[in-house]
Amino acid sequence: MIDSRNLKKRDLYLQKLIAFQDTEQVKVVTGIRRCGKSSLLKLMAAHLRKAGISDDHIVEMNFESYDFKDMTVDSFYNYVKKHMLSDKRMYLFFDEIQRVSKWEDAINSFRVDFNCDIYVTGSNAYMLSSEYSTYLSGRCVEIRMLPLSFSEFLYFHDFEVVESESAFGGIHKQVRDKNGAVYDLKEAFEAYMRFGGMPGIAEVGLNQEKALMLLEGIYSTVVMRDILERENRRGGKRITDSILLNKIVMFLADNIGSNISVSSIGNVLANEGLLETGKREAPSAHTVSLYVNALTEAYFFYEIKRFDIKGKEYLRTLGKYYIVDMGLRNYLLGFRDRDSGHALENVVYFELLRRGYDVSIGKIDNMEIDFIATNADEKVYIQVTESMTSEDVRRRELAPLRKIGDNYEKIVLSLNTGLDNSYDGIKSVGVIDWLLGWS
């Protein structure tokens, strides 16, 4: 049982729930396992209590609890009905509801029969937004949760950013822990890149051995149990080869930020001897596509499409994949620096999603722009690189941005910006500052 008094805030997501409070839609919280969905429901219930809603107007059920393990859809409905107060607005919170067969029938009945506001989470094993939409006839709103941002990472680990005047003018930024020890801000960012943003890491501390054990548990649950069980439960039995699934995970994790054709993955695995002896024949493109789709549906990987800026159309070929958490990638592949540029891209991509942007890769002639980020109000073109101090790197990163003829904002994010903060109107911004909202 999660005690809401000890919960760390996740205001980005809590405010989204609050915005839809007392609306007709069922509020559906999705995201990879252990990213904080259950805690978010507790935070929302605590918000209601603070606003004056009494306990008897709130029904909370976590279907991973032994109390509810044998519930059928009928006993589920009757349990909730028994707790309803006539002519009172009720608030219903259902965590891991997929464990109840035909749960969707009960949810629809609650909407029709009672004066209630409904909040739901579910394991990605069985419950995805497309399935919710089918079950609930479009009467739902999805809140997608991600692991911790860098700012949330600092907060969860009790770090506070402090500023001081440097000896050379300007501001020097550091972080201070709860014991008063002070560290360089870049050192804290390196810890974020190493351990990732799963909230549970804060409970075990920044201890590599303990963190890897926690990440192993998440991986085995999400990939090796949830995905396989989900397919069996749906009756499709499409994802049956756990070895192939694991190899595809490793391949995608090793190639984040690279242009990938799903149809070629099986051939690469076979040609490089990454499939078991006796299974060296490449799986069909259709089979690989099913496995990759299962991983994206479980929010383990996110696919990003390419957009032709001149042709103003999305391209079907050579998208990219990013992994939902850098800690999980480090668990899978080990800690290394050789592709730190792509790792930096990975972090920027998910921060853009947190900020509500739709994100695509930009193509202009034969050049590529890392991200085109758009929302209802703006469009931003973004390049990501480790350093802007080299003339060759500057030329490479700025060239595609200079080709774009419109007047939308153009930014290069890097760990080392050099001395210039703009190039012909193209901003050069430190990625750590940008992640913390200081740019």
Side-chain angles (χ1 to χ4, degrees):
M1 185 73 173
I2 300 172
D3 185 349
S4 61
R5 293 172 298 179
N6 299 322
L7 288 178
K8 295 282 191 178
K9 295 179 181 177
R10 300 293 298 275
D11 282 346
L12 174 66
Y13 305 103
L14 179 59
Q15 292 307 315
K16 291 180 180 180
L17 284 185
I18 292 171
F20 285 98
Q21 180 184 330
D22 291 321
T23 60
E24 180 189 6
Q25 293 100 328
V26 176
K27 274 62 72 177
V28 179
V29 182
T30 62
I32 191 170
R33 271 189 181 270
R34 309 284 290 279
C35 72
K37 299 187 297 295
S38 300
S39 297
L40 181 60
L41 289 198
K42 288 292 181 185
L43 287 167
M44 185 62 193
H47 165 77
L48 292 174
R49 291 184 175 99
K50 189 174 181 179
I53 306 298
S54 61
D55 283 345
D56 58 357
H57 290 184
I58 299 173
V59 177
E60 296 178 87
M61 301 175 71
N62 185 334
F63 290 97
E64 290 195 325
S65 168
Y66 195 83
D67 290 341
F68 307 124
K69 78 177 186 68
D70 294 323
M71 269 196 167
T72 64
V73 65
D74 290 335
S75 59
F76 174 31
Y77 179 86
N78 289 329
Y79 178 92
V80 173
K81 182 178 180 181
K82 186 172 66 176
H83 286 79
M84 286 292 168
L85 302 177
S86 59
D87 302 323
K88 298 291 185 180
R89 181 70 163 172
M90 300 294 293
Y91 295 86
L92 311 181
F93 294 88
F94 305 126
D95 199 7
E96 300 294 348
I97 197 176
Q98 82 288 336
R99 292 178 176 270
V100 178
S101 180
K102 298 184 179 180
W103 59 269
E104 63 277 11
D105 293 338
I107 294 295
N108 270 328
S109 295
F110 298 152
R111 290 181 52 255
V112 171
D113 297 347
F114 307 128
N115 176 15
C116 62
D117 193 18
I118 304 174
Y119 301 81
V120 173
T121 77
S123 161
N124 295 312
Y126 319 124
M127 304 182 63
L128 302 161
S129 59
S130 60
E131 294 169 359
Y132 278 121
S133 298
T134 300
Y135 294 150
L136 300 176
S137 304
R139 295 184 179 91
C140 65
V141 59
E142 182 184 12
I143 310 296
R144 291 194 179 190
M145 285 198 81
L146 291 167
L148 304 177
S149 66
F150 180 47
S151 180
E152 289 177 316
F153 172 86
L154 294 177
Y155 164 64
F156 265 60
H157 290 273
D158 296 316
F159 289 115
E160 177 189 7
V161 178
V162 293
E163 297 182 352
S164 59
E165 290 188 18
S166 72
F168 306 99
I171 301 297
H172 184 53
K173 303 181 183 74
Q174 296 174 298
V175 292
R176 182 169 56 209
D177 68 16
K178 60 185 177 182
N179 298 317
V182 177
Y183 306 90
D184 188 79
L185 183 56
K186 190 173 181 180
E187 185 179 357
F189 181 67
E190 289 170 354
Y192 178 61
M193 295 293 286
R194 170 176 287 266
F195 290 97
M198 284 298 181
I201 300 291
E203 297 174 13
V204 301
L206 298 177
N207 175 288
Q208 186 165 301
E209 182 178 353
K210 291 179 179 178
L212 289 175
M213 289 176 63
L214 182 141
L215 293 166
E216 179 182 23
I218 295 172
Y219 176 70
S220 62
T221 300
V222 171
V223 175
M224 291 301 132
R225 190 185 80 187
D226 278 3
I227 290 176
L228 296 171
E229 283 187 6
R230 174 174 180 261
E231 297 305 327
N232 290 335
R233 182 177 175 122
R234 293 204 308 190
K237 296 188 177 180
R238 300 175 300 170
I239 311 298
T240 56
D241 188 340
S242 60
I243 294 172
L244 177 59
L245 181 61
N246 188 61
K247 294 297 183 184
I248 290 174
V249 169
M250 298 294 284
F251 178 86
L252 292 176
D254 200 24
N255 289 276
I256 57 170
S258 298
N259 292 314
I260 291 175
S261 166
V262 168
S263 62
S264 69
I265 292 176
N267 291 327
V268 172
L269 294 177
N271 292 339
E272 295 186 1
L274 296 177
L275 299 179
E276 270 196 332
T277 303
K279 295 188 178 182
R280 292 291 296 277
E281 182 181 347
S284 70
H286 177 67
T287 298
V288 173
S289 182
L290 291 176
Y291 279 62
V292 171
N293 286 344
L295 289 164
T296 57
E297 286 178 344
Y299 303 106
F300 198 86
F301 290 101
Y302 282 59
E303 183 183 11
I304 179 171
K305 301 289 189 183
R306 291 159 63 85
F307 184 79
D308 187 332
I309 294 172
K310 286 189 173 179
K312 297 184 178 180
E313 63 178 355
Y314 285 96
L315 304 174
R316 295 184 178 181
T317 57
L318 295 178
K320 295 182 179 182
Y321 292 86
Y322 291 104
I323 192 166
V324 71
D325 181 69
M326 287 306 299
L328 284 167
R329 183 177 192 249
N330 292 331
Y331 158 72
L332 291 166
L333 302 178
F335 300 98
R336 62 193 193 182
D337 293 324
R338 70 169 185 260
D339 60 348
S340 51
H342 281 162
L344 205 58
E345 279 180 37
N346 201 102
V347 169
V348 169
Y349 170 70
F350 283 102
E351 183 62 22
L352 288 169
L353 294 188
R354 287 186 191 94
R355 296 182 184 186
Y357 289 102
D358 291 321
V359 187
S360 58
I361 306 160
K363 175 186 176 297
I364 185 161
D365 296 332
N366 62 341
M367 296 183 177
E368 186 173 281
I369 293 156
D370 290 328
F371 302 119
I372 306 174
T374 59
N375 61 24
D377 302 316
E378 62 179 330
K379 177 187 291 185
V380 185
Y381 299 101
I382 297 175
Q383 291 285 74
V384 183
T385 187
E386 289 188 83
S387 175
M388 284 287 280
T389 59
S390 161
E391 179 62 33
D392 289 340
V393 171
R394 287 198 297 272
R395 189 181 303 113
R396 183 188 71 217
E397 299 298 335
L398 294 171
L401 294 175
R402 284 171 167 155
K403 273 183 167 285
I404 301 170
D406 63 39
N407 294 317
Y408 292 109
E409 188 173 32
K410 303 171 182 69
I411 302 174
V412 180
L413 297 175
S414 63
L415 283 172
N416 189 343
T417 61
L419 296 178
D420 294 306
N421 56 21
S422 69
Y423 301 86
D424 302 325
I426 299 170
K427 292 182 181 178
S428 176
V429 177
V431 68
I432 296 176
D433 285 350
W434 179 82
L435 288 168
L436 295 174
W438 295 336
S439 59

